[in-house]
Amino acid sequence: MNVCIEQLTAFKENVSDWGKVVIAYEPVWAIGTGEVATPEIAQETHANIRSWFADNVNPEVAASVRIIYGGSVNGKNCKNLSVQPDIDGFLVGGASLKPEFVDIINCNRD
């Protein structure tokens, strides 16, 4: 979380409209590996980021800012990640070039 706090703090003062900001989180160890965080680990970090916004910007921004997950999301893991309360969507990499991308897009449809 220290890296996230450092990065969030670095640009906080330069944002005039938080409604235009989307935060993308990907664990460093997931970059380019094809590995994904468990839904619980991803949720915990997203909740911590949202909490940082509440403490360092304001509660309204914390509630409204979109925080998306980007660590090797695919058609098999998207549903379990998408139901987490603080994960607002995905930053999809390689899976966006595969037919399963449709499954990711539609993962919250009943």
Side-chain angles (χ1 to χ4, degrees), residues 40-109:
E40 296 79 16
I41 291 172
Q43 167 56 28
E44 178 182 17
T45 302
H46 282 239
N48 287 337
I49 292 169
R50 202 168 298 285
S51 177
W52 181 91
F53 275 102
D55 295 341
N56 294 279
V57 180
N58 66 55
E60 293 78 22
V61 168
S64 64
V65 70
R66 292 188 50 84
I67 306 171
I68 60 176
Y69 180 76
S72 300
V73 175
N74 61 44
K76 292 180 182 175
N77 60 32
C78 62
K79 184 67 172 174
N80 289 333
L81 289 164
S82 72
V83 297
Q84 301 305 310
D86 291 297
I87 297 177
D88 297 318
F90 303 120
L91 177 64
V92 181
S96 67
L97 302 173
K98 300 176 182 174
E100 70 180 301
F101 187 49
V102 174
D103 297 331
I104 298 169
I105 293 168
N106 293 323
C107 72
N108 284 328
R109 290 189 176 174

Side-chain angles (χ1 to χ4, degrees), residues 11-46:
F11 76 87
K12 177 183 101 162
E13 298 303 323
N14 296 310
V15 177
S16 59
D17 184 354
W18 285 102
K20 296 181 179 179
V21 174
V22 176
I23 303 299
Y25 167 72
E26 179 173 6
V28 172
W29 51 263
I31 297 171
T33 66
E35 294 186 31
V36 64
T38 65
E40 296 79 16
I41 291 172
Q43 167 56 28
E44 178 182 17
T45 302
H46 282 239

